[in-house]
Amino acid sequence: MIFGILKPYPSPLISGRGIDLDFAFLAGCLALLGLGLVMITSASSEVAAVQSGNPLYHMFRHLVYVALGLVACGATMMVPIATWQRMGFMMLVGAFGLLFLVLVPGIGREVNGSMRWIGFSFFNVQPSEIAKVFVVIYLAGYLVRRQQEVRESWMGFFKPFIVLLPMAGLLLMEPDFGATVVMMGAAAAMLFLGGVGLFRFSLMVVLAVVAVFILVQAQPYRMARLITFTDPWADQFGSGYQLTQALIAFGRGEWLGVGLGNSVQKQFYLPEAHTDFVFSVLAEELGVVGSLCTVALFVFVTVRALYIGLWAEKAKQFFAAYMAFGLAFLWIGQFLINIGVNVGLLPTKGLTLPFLSYGGSSLVICCACVGLLLRIEWESRTHLGSEEHEFKESDFAEETYHGR
């Protein structure tokens, strides 16, 4: 039904040349999805066998999430970027609503001491994953509407924080410190690219560092994590257990790994082996070479996303450009934090690795973001991204190709 409503509009899936996509970007994302499926199958087999009696239990569930993600990707590709721009405020309200709901007893579901999920019969939804994307869309619209004010006045600079700080407060109440850092980091990057002066941006960075220091001091468990990650072996069977097991996995992998499926650490030594620490299992089984190839894939996908934003900016489609930059920085933030935690460069945080980690909300939202980026690239290339552009039947048959 949705595709029928959107059919009158040209899209990367419906055009005069058939399917018209940025195949290099899509191939990189699909490669990460495929690698994630393989690694989750391997990393979760022992846990699944004990908990459910079926070693492929998590693989089958992940396949369902992949299918839903591909549907979400296709659906977002069909929607004109101008529609997302018009819906920016509604999405912001929706993000606040979801973050309020997850804190309501009886609606929010608590796992490992955190209230981050809204539970349904067969699956859980993590509102923070949705809220981060909605904030990016809203902020992209704000930067277009208030571009001059953002660049020249303090008020234009501070107004977004009237929205961002309460949302960060809701995330911290779950608590979800990692998602807060990623969201605020992406917002800061978008403001900088939107033209905020260096002095005001530097002040924002200083205030952010002070805020992080205060938040770490406010909760004993955060301070414990901060102290532990600098020397996890000092308490390797206590607060440093996760990190020491992850480092053992990296050490066992050496250059070429112990072989796919042969990880020892996934056998109940490494907690959350198929979610937060899937990269450690990957390093153990595929070694340094496999890890670096995975990092290279992530670098390619995120750099390509930034280039998509640059192409949209050159086409004077500024909302699309800011949205692409924001989505790219969300991925970059999660990637850097997750990898940093796995290798011991950052304190332990419960943040998934985009495309690779097990988790329905994260994977479906990642795929939806891929669809948005593919739509942005297509609109900037075919010059159909303006709100004033009226789609006609001729747009399907007489598109001009601009190769990149």
Side-chain angles (χ1 to χ4, degrees):
M1 181 178 178
I2 295 175
F3 290 98
I5 294 172
L6 296 173
K7 191 173 180 180
Y9 297 96
S11 78
L13 299 178
I14 304 174
S15 69
R17 294 184 301 276
I19 298 177
D20 184 17
L21 300 170
D22 181 351
F23 286 104
F25 175 68
L26 180 61
C29 295
L30 290 177
L32 286 172
L33 277 176
L35 179 61
L37 178 61
V38 170
M39 292 313 307
I40 285 167
T41 303
S42 174
S44 67
S45 59
E46 301 294 333
V47 174
V50 171
Q51 293 180 348
S52 67
N54 180 4
L56 300 180
Y57 172 78
H58 289 108
M59 185 204 76
F60 289 134
R61 286 181 64 90
H62 192 73
L63 275 173
V64 173
Y65 297 145
V66 170
L68 291 173
L70 293 177
V71 170
C73 179
T76 53
M77 270 192 283
M78 301 289 285
V79 181
I81 296 301
T83 302
W84 297 105
Q85 186 172 2
R86 288 193 294 270
M87 294 171 58
F89 181 75
M90 293 173 58
M91 290 185 167
L92 180 68
V93 173
F96 271 107
L98 287 170
L99 293 178
F100 272 117
L101 280 176
V102 78
L103 297 173
V104 176
I107 297 178
R109 182 168 178 262
E110 185 175 346
V111 178
N112 295 331
S114 297
M115 205 84 152
R116 300 181 187 176
W117 294 267
I118 296 177
F120 294 91
S121 56
F122 297 106
F123 62 95
N124 298 316
V125 174
Q126 191 170 359
S128 61
E129 294 290 339
I130 303 171
K132 286 184 294 186
V133 176
F134 283 6
V135 165
V136 164
I137 294 173
Y138 172 79
L139 189 55
Y142 174 82
L143 290 173
V144 171
R145 293 191 307 272
R146 306 286 185 177
Q147 189 173 58
Q148 198 71 16
E149 189 178 357
V150 168
R151 292 181 176 181
E152 297 180 358
S153 73
W154 284 92
M155 186 55 68
F157 168 66
F158 280 118
K159 277 182 181 178
F161 293 97
I162 298 174
V163 171
L164 292 172
L165 291 178
M167 189 166 288
L170 289 172
L171 286 170
L172 290 171
M173 288 173 68
E174 296 182 6
D176 196 343
F177 188 67
T180 307
V181 171
V182 169
M183 183 190 74
M184 297 299 284
M190 290 175 70
L191 286 168
F192 181 71
L193 293 174
V196 170
L198 186 59
F199 174 73
R200 282 177 288 161
F201 183 76
S202 301
L203 177 63
M204 178 174 60
V205 171
V206 171
L207 291 174
V209 171
V210 172
V212 169
F213 178 77
I214 293 172
L215 288 171
V216 168
Q217 292 280 348
Q219 293 291 339
Y221 79 92
R222 290 182 188 142
M223 180 56 69
R225 284 181 177 181
L226 186 63
I227 295 172
T228 299
F229 99 96
T230 58
D231 185 15
W233 303 101
D235 189 15
Q236 61 178 312
F237 298 111
S239 56
Y241 181 76
Q242 280 184 309
L243 181 52
T244 55
Q245 297 304 313
L247 294 176
I248 290 171
F250 277 93
R252 292 193 75 252
E254 298 184 349
W255 286 101
L256 298 177
V258 297
L260 188 63
N262 294 327
S263 167
V264 171
Q265 293 306 104
K266 70 181 181 183
Q267 298 177 11
F268 302 97
Y269 292 101
L270 181 61
E272 310 296 339
H274 60 295
T275 55
D276 300 343
F277 285 90
V278 68
F279 190 76
S280 296
V281 177
L282 184 149
E284 183 181 2
E285 295 188 348
L286 304 183
V288 172
V289 174
S291 301
L292 291 179
C293 288
T294 303
V295 171
L297 262 178
F298 271 112
V299 170
F300 170 77
V301 166
T302 52
V303 169
R304 189 75 175 184
L306 291 173
Y307 267 105
I308 287 173
L310 181 62
W311 294 330
E313 190 174 33
K314 288 181 177 179
K316 300 190 183 302
Q317 298 172 7
F318 296 108
F319 171 78
Y322 292 136
M323 187 163 70
F325 291 141
L327 296 176
F329 281 114
L330 286 181
W331 285 352
I332 291 169
Q334 287 193 226
F335 166 70
L336 290 177
I337 291 175
N338 185 278
I339 299 295
V341 166
N342 274 255
V343 301
L345 293 177
L346 293 173
T348 303
K349 286 306 307 167
L351 206 61
T352 57
L353 186 60
F355 297 104
L356 261 70
S357 292
Y358 178 81
S361 296
S362 175
L363 187 65
V364 172
I365 293 299
C366 272
C367 291
C369 291
V370 171
L372 288 172
L373 288 164
L374 288 170
R375 177 80 195 196
I376 290 169
E377 188 277 336
W378 179 80
E379 287 196 4
S380 65
R381 174 159 47 86
T382 56
H383 303 288
L384 295 175
S386 172
E387 279 189 284
E388 291 77 23
H389 184 92
E390 182 180 353
F391 294 113
K392 302 176 182 178
E393 189 67 28
S394 60
D395 289 329
F396 289 91
E398 298 179 5
E399 297 174 28
T400 304
Y401 181 71
H402 299 271
R404 289 191 175 125

